[in-house]
Amino acid sequence: MTSEPAAATRPRNRKQLIVEAAGRAFSERGYHAASMEEIAAAVGITAAALYRHFPNKYALFTECANVMADRLVAALGTVPADAPADEVLRPLAHVTVAHRESGGLYRWEARYLDRADRRVLSAKFAQVVARVTDVVQPSPDADLRAVAALGAIGSITMHHTSIAHHRAENLLTESALRLATATTTAPAPSVALPTQPVPRTRRAQILAAAVPLFERDGFATVTNARIAEAVGLVPSALYRHFPNKAEILAAACLQAAGLLSQAVEQNLHGTTGAEALPVLAATYVAYSFEHTALTNVAAAELGGLPAALQRPLNLAQREHIAVWEQQLRLARPDLDAHQARVLVHAGFGAVVETGRRLRWEDTPDHRAAVTGFLLSALGL
C-alpha cells in the first residue's frame, strides 16, 4: 500500500522571500519595469499567491523601500551610545553589503512613494544620518560629511563589481571613516567641460526637451505627446526621429557620456602622476553639477531599458571606470582591480549624496567640497 504524498508546506518566511526578490527586481529594473509576475516567479509562487501577501505593486514596493532603512536603524540600535566612528560605520557597511542586490532602490526609487510614505522613509534615514553625524569629526559640515560617508557605503548597491563580502565591508568602512574624520579640503583644480552644443536639429531639440520632463515627472509618466508638444511637433512627427521614448533616454545618456569622456581627455592632457586623480575628481564633480537632471534620470531608469539599449551605455561607463581604476592603482599600488573599482564607486556615491544634500546648488565652494569628499573616499 502506497502512502499519500506529503502535502507541500508553505515556508514560514515566504513574505520575507517575496520582499527580497522584489527588492532585487526593483533595484535592478526600476519600479515600473519590474512586474509582480516576475517577482512571483523568482520566489516560485503564482501571482495570485503573491497578491495574498501584498494587494498591489505599490504596497510591495513600499515594504521594500522601508526594509533597508529598518535594517540600518536596527544595526545602529546595537551600537553603544559612546562608540567611536568606526564601530558606528561598520554595522552599516555590514548590512548594506549583505543586501547589496536589493538595498539600492531607496536611493532613487523612493520618489515613487506618495507624500505620507515618503515622510516615513525620510524620517528613518534622518535618524541614521543623525547617528553618524554624532561621531563625525566636529566641523561646520559635519552633517554633510555624514551624508558623504553613507553615500560611500550605499554605493555598493549600485554596481556589480565582484568582491568578497568581508573585503567590501572593510573597504567601505575605511572609506566612510575617512569621510567622517577628515578635517581639511584642498582647493579643487580648475577644469573645464566641453560646451554643450545648442540643439539646432530636431533630434537634438527632442533630447534637450525630454530629459527635464523625465527628471521632473518620472520617465514612466511622460508621454511621447508631451515630449512632442515641448518641441513644437505633432506626436506622429516624433517617430521620424525616435521610435519610442526609451530610445530618447538612451540617446541622451550616450550623448552625455561622450561629453564626459571628452572632458576627461581634455583635462587630463598634460597631467602627470599625482595631478591626475584630483583633475579626474574635479572633472567628474563639474559634470555632476552641470548635468544633474540627466544623472538623476539615468540612475533611476536605465535598468528598465531593453538590453540592446543598455549595452553601449554600460560600455561607456566601463571605459570611464577603467580610467579611474588605472589612475587610482598608480596612486595606491596596495589595491587590486576589484578594490579600486569599489572605491571609485564609493567616491561617486559620496558625490551623489552630498550633491543631493546641497540641492546641486552650483558654487565654487560646493564643487571644491564635493571634490574633496570624492578624493577622501578613495584614500588620497
Side-chain angles (χ1 to χ4, degrees):
M1 182 176 178
T2 58
S3 60
E4 292 289 329
T9 58
R10 184 170 65 184
R12 293 184 179 183
N13 65 337
R14 175 167 286 177
K15 187 172 183 178
Q16 179 184 343
L17 295 174
I18 291 171
V19 171
E20 288 294 336
R24 290 192 295 271
F26 290 136
S27 293
E28 187 71 25
R29 291 166 42 72
Y31 176 67
H32 291 286
S35 70
M36 295 289 270
E37 289 73 19
E38 72 173 280
I39 293 167
V43 184
I45 60 175
T46 64
L50 175 56
Y51 282 109
R52 286 199 290 271
H53 293 276
F54 296 95
N56 51 52
K57 185 163 75 167
Y58 179 82
L60 178 53
F61 177 78
T62 304
E63 178 77 8
C64 292
N66 279 278
V67 159
M68 191 62 184
D70 291 336
R71 286 170 176 154
L72 296 175
V73 171
L76 289 176
T78 67
V79 179
D82 58 349
D86 62 325
E87 293 181 19
V88 172
L89 294 169
R90 184 168 293 279
L92 299 178
H94 177 77
V95 167
T96 306
V97 171
H99 299 281
R100 67 179 293 189
E101 291 185 350
S102 59
L105 66 95
Y106 73 90
R107 296 181 66 197
W108 301 108
E109 300 293 340
R111 62 181 176 166
Y112 292 117
L113 296 176
D114 64 30
R115 185 173 299 177
D117 288 330
R118 197 159 54 241
R119 277 200 298 267
V120 171
L121 187 64
S122 296
K124 293 175 181 178
F125 281 111
Q127 185 178 342
V128 175
V129 172
R131 182 69 177 91
V132 175
T133 302
D134 287 342
V135 296
V136 168
Q137 184 76 25
S139 64
D141 62 350
D143 177 77
L144 199 59
R145 290 188 176 280
V147 169
L150 290 168
I153 291 172
S155 67
I156 196 70
T157 66
M158 306 303 287
H159 61 92
H160 301 288
T161 301
S162 177
I163 187 169
H165 280 201
H166 72 279
R167 296 180 77 206
E169 184 181 318
N170 288 338
L171 275 174
L172 295 175
T173 300
E174 292 163 5
S175 181
L177 186 61
R178 288 191 294 269
L179 287 160
T181 57
T183 56
T184 59
T185 299
S190 178
V191 296
L193 298 184
T195 302
Q196 194 160 3
V198 176
R200 302 188 188 280
T201 66
R202 278 298 190 201
R203 183 180 173 87
Q205 289 168 357
I206 290 168
L207 297 180
V211 170
L213 290 175
F214 292 153
E215 200 239 354
R216 188 185 68 199
D217 300 327
F219 178 74
T221 62
V222 175
T223 62
N224 286 338
R226 286 187 60 198
I227 298 170
E229 180 184 6
V231 186
L233 294 173
V234 295
S236 59
L238 196 70
Y239 296 105
R240 290 202 293 268
H241 303 279
F242 296 98
N244 52 58
K245 65 181 182 180
E247 296 269 1
I248 296 174
L249 176 57
C253 291
L254 204 55
Q255 181 187 72
L259 286 173
L260 178 58
S261 177
Q262 186 181 344
V264 167
E265 185 176 348
Q266 172 183 308
N267 289 317
L268 281 183
H269 181 71
T271 62
T272 58
E275 299 175 358
L277 276 170
V279 168
L280 258 180
T283 302
Y284 183 80
V285 168
Y287 171 87
S288 299
F289 273 95
E290 292 194 22
H291 296 276
T292 306
L294 184 58
T295 300
N296 287 342
V297 172
E301 309 292 355
L302 286 188
L305 292 181
L309 295 179
Q310 288 190 43
R311 280 189 210 104
L313 299 171
N314 290 338
L315 177 61
Q317 184 189 43
R318 283 197 295 270
E319 289 175 347
H320 181 65
I321 295 293
V323 176
W324 280 89
E325 179 191 326
Q326 178 188 41
Q327 295 299 331
L328 180 55
R329 293 186 70 194
L330 287 173
R332 289 194 57 186
D334 58 303
L335 300 174
D336 64 26
H338 298 279
Q339 291 172 311
R341 284 197 291 275
V342 168
L343 284 181
V344 169
H345 283 289
F348 291 174
V351 170
V352 168
E353 295 302 331
T354 54
R356 292 173 69 191
R357 180 55 66 103
L358 294 168
R359 300 184 181 276
W360 295 109
E361 183 183 345
D362 196 359
T363 68
D365 285 347
H366 285 174
R367 287 196 185 194
V370 175
T371 300
F373 292 143
L374 200 170
L375 293 171
S376 291
L378 300 178
L380 303 176

